Amino acid sequence: SQIDENEKKIEEIKAKTDEVSYKEYQKHLRRKEEIEVQINETKKVLESHFGTSEIKVIDEEIEKLKVDVPELNLKFDEEKWDKLNKAKKEITEKIKNYAQQRQPFLNELKEIESQLKKEIDIDLPLATLENLKKTKNELEKFILQNEQRREDILLAKKIFKEIEEEEKRKISGLFGKESPASKYFSQITNGLYTEVSIDPETGTILCKKNNPVILEAEKLSGGAYDQLYFSVRLALAEKLLSDEKGFFILDDPFIKSDYERLKIQIDILKKISSSGWQIIFFTAKKEIREILKKDIENGFLNFYELD
């Protein structure tokens, strides 16, 4: 501020003196001082010739001829000039250092700009304070919206968890020692397995044999695995439809069963059919046709052979 003020004063002096350099200004300043000495000497000579009263009249006439010029009251101080110049250089150097220190922040802001544009579609140059404020407001809105979304998601997860627990409770009714799934599986396997249960934590289906061995469903043989899930489907259908009867569409559900077990499974289907269920059964096994030969002949079931 002091530098600017003094520079303005210097410019005023230059404008009034039509000078453009300090040396020329000093030269004319010395000339002014010499003229003032000459004036004083001339004044003394005039007083000696005309007397003081006549000189006074002449001074009054001269005063009338003067033009009012504002007094600048300026005195050049070379020491102060040097001091201010030095201060200006120091400030200029500081500005340069600050610019260098600012550059890494500008680079970081560029990276943030890129991330903002990519992640949340905010495209503002962050080099200005105004844009930083705008971006801050946009980010605050974004955070509030996502906090609300998070609360909504957590609430939805809680609801789904409750639904899941409720469904687990419902499904668990299909399993257990006296459950329909255990009953059907025991019949189909001719008593080899006595109970079908479910692990409430993992949802894994467990099968208990007529000895202390308990197997996970995935560890059953291919035939036993198919029979297990057919038993589960039967139990689930009964639970879903309650007292009403529906229908099954089966595509060779016992393809891995041997002949004896196949007869047991077909007998169970016949019992289910007798109780009111309709069964549409697709098969490529000749054994099925042999087992159902009498039922086909007496019209208990409709038989269609496909090309």
Side-chain angles (χ1 to χ4, degrees):
S1 177
Q2 188 65 44
I3 290 170
D4 290 341
E5 186 180 340
N6 282 281
E7 283 181 345
K8 285 178 183 177
K9 290 179 180 179
I10 290 168
E11 290 303 320
E12 288 175 4
I13 294 170
K14 286 181 179 180
K16 289 186 179 296
T17 59
D18 292 329
E19 300 298 336
V20 292
S21 71
Y22 171 59
K23 286 183 179 181
E24 289 176 344
Y25 177 78
Q26 282 186 317
K27 177 181 175 183
H28 287 281
L29 191 62
R30 286 193 294 271
R31 177 63 180 154
K32 179 188 174 187
E33 291 170 351
E34 291 172 359
I35 290 171
E36 286 176 346
V37 170
Q38 289 176 9
I39 288 171
N40 288 331
E41 290 176 353
T42 304
K43 190 174 182 180
K44 289 177 183 179
V45 173
L46 289 172
E47 285 177 351
S48 66
H49 287 288
F50 299 101
T52 305
S53 59
E54 291 295 329
I55 294 298
K56 186 176 180 182
V57 172
I58 294 170
D59 283 341
E60 288 174 355
E61 290 300 319
I62 291 172
E63 284 296 325
K64 290 178 183 178
L65 297 173
K66 282 185 178 180
V67 178
D68 289 334
V69 178
E71 189 75 27
L72 290 176
N73 294 323
L74 294 176
K75 185 179 180 183
F76 184 80
D77 188 333
E78 189 170 359
E79 184 180 345
K80 190 172 183 180
W81 171 269
D82 291 339
K83 185 177 179 181
L84 290 173
N85 258 335
K86 183 180 178 182
K88 182 179 180 181
K89 287 179 181 178
E90 290 176 355
I91 291 169
T92 304
E93 189 64 28
K94 282 184 180 179
I95 291 171
K96 184 179 178 182
N97 291 336
Y98 288 144
Q100 290 174 349
Q101 293 173 20
R102 182 171 175 257
Q103 193 56 47
F105 293 103
L106 291 176
N107 294 339
E108 188 174 352
L109 285 174
K110 281 289 182 185
E111 292 180 10
I112 294 172
E113 283 176 27
S114 177
Q115 290 177 1
L116 289 174
K117 186 176 181 180
K118 180 181 177 182
E119 300 294 339
I120 53 179
D121 198 25
I122 295 179
D123 189 10
L124 283 174
L126 302 182
T128 66
L129 187 60
E130 185 64 28
N131 282 350
L132 279 172
K133 289 178 180 177
K134 288 181 181 178
T135 303
K136 175 177 175 287
N137 293 335
E138 290 296 322
L139 284 172
E140 285 174 348
K141 288 180 188 176
F142 177 79
I143 290 168
L144 286 174
Q145 289 171 355
N146 280 275
E147 283 178 347
Q148 184 60 51
R149 285 183 63 197
R150 179 179 178 274
E151 290 179 8
D152 294 343
I153 290 168
L154 289 175
L155 178 60
K157 284 183 69 177
K158 182 181 177 184
I159 293 170
F160 285 133
K161 185 68 176 175
E162 291 173 357
I163 293 171
E164 182 184 7
E165 293 299 325
E166 178 64 23
E167 291 304 313
K168 281 183 179 180
R169 286 192 292 272
K170 289 179 181 178
I171 292 296
S172 64
L174 297 175
F175 302 95
K177 191 169 184 179
E178 303 299 327
S179 68
S182 295
K183 178 185 71 175
Y184 285 127
F185 194 43
S186 179
Q187 289 176 354
I188 290 173
T189 60
N190 203 21
L192 179 61
Y193 292 90
T194 60
E195 183 181 345
V196 179
S197 60
I198 188 168
D199 186 327
E201 296 298 325
T202 63
T204 304
I205 294 177
L206 305 173
C207 304
K208 184 178 181 181
K209 299 186 78 172
N210 54 12
N211 55 38
V213 176
I214 297 177
L215 297 175
E216 293 180 0
E218 285 72 14
K219 294 181 180 178
L220 296 174
S221 65
Y225 186 89
D226 291 341
Q227 293 153 7
L228 167 65
Y229 279 97
F230 180 65
S231 302
V232 173
R233 284 197 293 273
L234 290 173
L236 184 59
E238 285 186 359
K239 185 174 181 65
L240 289 174
L241 298 177
S242 301
D243 295 332
E244 303 215 0
K245 304 300 180 183
F247 65 90
F248 288 102
I249 299 177
L250 306 177
D251 183 10
D252 256 339
F254 315 127
I255 196 166
K256 297 175 184 176
S257 300
D258 57 39
Y259 190 81
E260 292 302 319
R261 192 170 292 175
L262 192 58
K263 287 197 295 183
I264 296 171
Q265 292 160 343
I266 294 298
D267 284 340
I268 291 173
L269 286 182
K270 288 166 70 175
K271 288 178 183 177
I272 293 169
S273 178
S274 298
S275 66
W277 289 82
Q278 183 182 17
I279 298 170
I280 302 171
F281 194 109
F282 292 88
T283 183
K285 290 173 73 78
K286 292 181 179 180
E287 295 92 331
I288 299 290
R289 183 174 181 177
E290 292 173 4
I291 294 170
L292 293 171
K293 185 177 180 181
K294 289 183 180 179
D295 297 297
I296 294 170
E297 290 174 351
N298 61 26
F300 181 75
L301 61 84
N302 296 318
F303 175 76
Y304 301 94
E305 189 167 7
L306 304 176
D307 294 333

